[in-house]
Amino acid sequence: MITSRRNFLKNTLSSAIVLITSTAILSQRVLADWSKMAFTAKNTEEALMALFNDSDATVSDKITIVSPEIAENGKVVPVEVKVDLPRVESITLFSEKNPVPLLAQFNFTGGRAKGWIKTRIKMAETGKVIAVVKADSKLYQASREIKVTVGGCGG
Amino acid sequence: MSNETNTRLQAKFNEGVTEVKALIKHPMETGQTKDLETGKLIPAHFIEEIRCEYNDEVVMSAQWGVGISANPYLAFQFEGGKIGDKVKLTWKDNQGQTETTVTEIIPK
Amino acid sequence: MSMSRRQFLQVMAIASANGLLPQSVFAQRQQSADPYEIPNFGQIRLLHFTDCHAQLLPLYYREPQVNLGLNDRQGKVPHLVGHAFLKHFNIQMNTPAAYAFTHLNYVKAAQKYGKVGGFAHLATLIKRLRETYGREKTLLLDGGDTWQGSGTAYWTRGQDMVGACNQLGVDIMTGHWEFTYPAAEVLANLKQFQGEFLAQNVKVKEEALFVGAAAFNELTGHAFKPYAIRDLSGVRVAVIGQAFPYTPIANPARFIPDWTFGIQETEMQQLVNQIRHQEKPNIVIVISHNGMDVDLKMASRVTGIDAILGGHTHDGVPQPTTVKNRDGVTLVSNAGSNGKFLGVLDFAVNKGKVTAYQYHLLPIFSNLLAPDEEMQTYIDKVRAPYLAKLNEKLAVTEQLLYRRGNFNGTFDQLICNALREQNDAQIALSPGFRWGTTLLPGQPITLEAVLNQTCITYPETYVRNLSGQAIKTLLEAVGDNLFNNDPYLQQGGDMVRTGGLNYVCEPTQAIHKRISNLTLDDGTALDMNKQYKVTGWATVANQSSGKPIWEVVVDYLRAHQTVKLDKINLPQLIGVEANFEAYT
């Protein structure tokens, strides 16, 4: 009844979804360059400088981060970012206490994508998750504290 | 990996918006974890780049670090799309492995 | 030898005549000494029990003498114990009520008034309270923690309790320890359960749904039905289920890999609004396993709920707390644990709305209630295959053995001592569960008594080396789960119990600043950089490799024959002196 993730492959193969796989090396034209500098930055300012040449992002209540109050598993923390700003160009996610604070940058080229993503992140310890949004050429940000704890002793 | 598929991709259309969901089987190793048996560090192995195209138009491209969870899950939406049209997702990891998956947009 | 029913009733009559019993236990209008004769009030009656922890038989359960409430919760329900509790609820010392609700003079009172709880006794009372009111106007609600806590529950995978709850006539339940059985067993048990299991805050993880996991509702992701509507003779009652929000943190997530929990406050508000709008109920109730502090916070923020019937924190609260919020008032109750209490909430409804209520939290004095025959027959039947081993006498205790309280109970100390001796370790750690039944001095310690303190689905023990720093960090993390200033960020039970390790604790501090002066039993300070041999049980992250905790305790008891503890590793507390009664 409940499908385990271990059965994931089997389910994928038997599903009706059309799948074509390719091992071709991708051209650099279509994939954005991976920013080594941003991903080796030790804090959010450095990473923002590397990504945007700017680290000044305005706090905005138009950005909502949806996540649990306490992570059920620090290695898999579901995060949803909703942006209610026009012309969203990118959403960049940080976990301030991680050894590598920059988690990911989602670029919405072509202007079709909505300002919305859902993903799952790793968190080393209790701290802020920060979403920096570039919209209409300006940087905005919002953050949310998520507690990461040892488990056990549940009454 | 060549004959296996590690990506489950779905695109659903509803009221003018296509929602794309992807689940990728990948270890997303940070390079900082010790192998408990050998005591050696497990080499970093993570998806660096991921891109989604609708009718050859890139609608979303992302760069990821080691902070994305193992077996990454991603959902996003784009305006437009048509039932039956193709959505293509491509990812590449730091060890040079890549995979492209195509699916047809289905009604929600 | 405890009192006979006749003697007990005499005590009640005298106490009642002298006005020594609180209205919360003994209704004002009744002249009889029978504490269970409560007047019918209003149009509907909700009966509520919670956290019975699979205790089918009458037992002893000592209420805590330390239950710290910090900052604005200090001195408030449910953080009142002992004399402060009696004063607040206007209960006299040395009465049956004082015995039921506090730890005061516990041994003497227990010897006098006898055991509490027992499903056969509970069944008698429930039948009576439903029949005198009109069964069709009543609902029986179970707050969860029903399938775990005894040997028979463990061996039957909770099925003995599903059968007992069917026999009892439970209409609706929610859960917590139910989720410590693997998901497939949870679902199989719920198929056998004749009531409804509700939980608005348990969802199927999105990625699990994506690969085809089953859900109650695939669009909303609800793993279980979130609410139910019951028509009780023309009064429409909406009941929303709220399972323990931190189940996959406090207990192993590996048993239920596809389910995600959380408080889900926003979703709760949306659901209440939706129910009010679409279902047009007269009353909205939440059957909650949040724990009382979380319920109080939720009641202050979510509008449109008439009452939250709570559990988890095992607080026997004689009268609900009234919480004001933006749109009105919500009652928050907590109905204790171990089958020791039955909450009775009668509502009067006028012009479609709640206008008044009457609440009683009735202690189940086993000597005062004849066992229900059908239930007793059922209990005897499910216990029969295990009876011989359950009754094996392993040792005798020379002192009171109990667990409940923020820090080490005496039974915890026994477990820690057993772990240290059997595993030759310097330090033992034992989880701060709130369940675990009490033994009086002179009582035999049977296997059943050991299982009542230890029986879980992840009982494996461990021995490992930990640095002083790692031990301190662990204590800090668990302390923050208990003492965090925000109830929404408190997700544990009581403080982890230590054996062979002493410390100073300042609960009002922030994490990493609460625990200091760690010393071993010989007085030497814990060296942050040195490794110590530590033993424990109930690991949440991964399954440990050692034998089950009850085998460790059984071996220790067989070797010792009698239990008399030299020392209890209670921490020295700072900054909370006004907040609790002395340890002894």
Side-chain angles (χ1 to χ4, degrees), chain C residues 561-575:
Chain C
Q561 294 293 310
T562 56
V563 171
K564 189 158 176 21
L565 303 165
D566 305 325
K567 179 184 168 72
I568 316 289
N569 289 110
L570 288 166
Q572 183 194 335
L573 296 177
I574 295 182

Side-chain angles (χ1 to χ4, degrees), chain A residues 2 72 118 120 147 149 153, chain C residues 206-207 258 261 491 493:
Chain A
I2 302 284
E72 290 179 354
K118 263 186 179 179
R120 304 179 309 181
K147 184 173 176 178
T149 180
C153 304
Chain C
E206 192 164 317
E207 63 273 21
D258 287 343
F261 293 64
Q491 73 279 19

Side-chain angles (χ1 to χ4, degrees), chain C residues 80 242 310 357 492 512:
Chain C
L80 294 172
Q242 175 81 354
Y357 72 93
H512 305 310

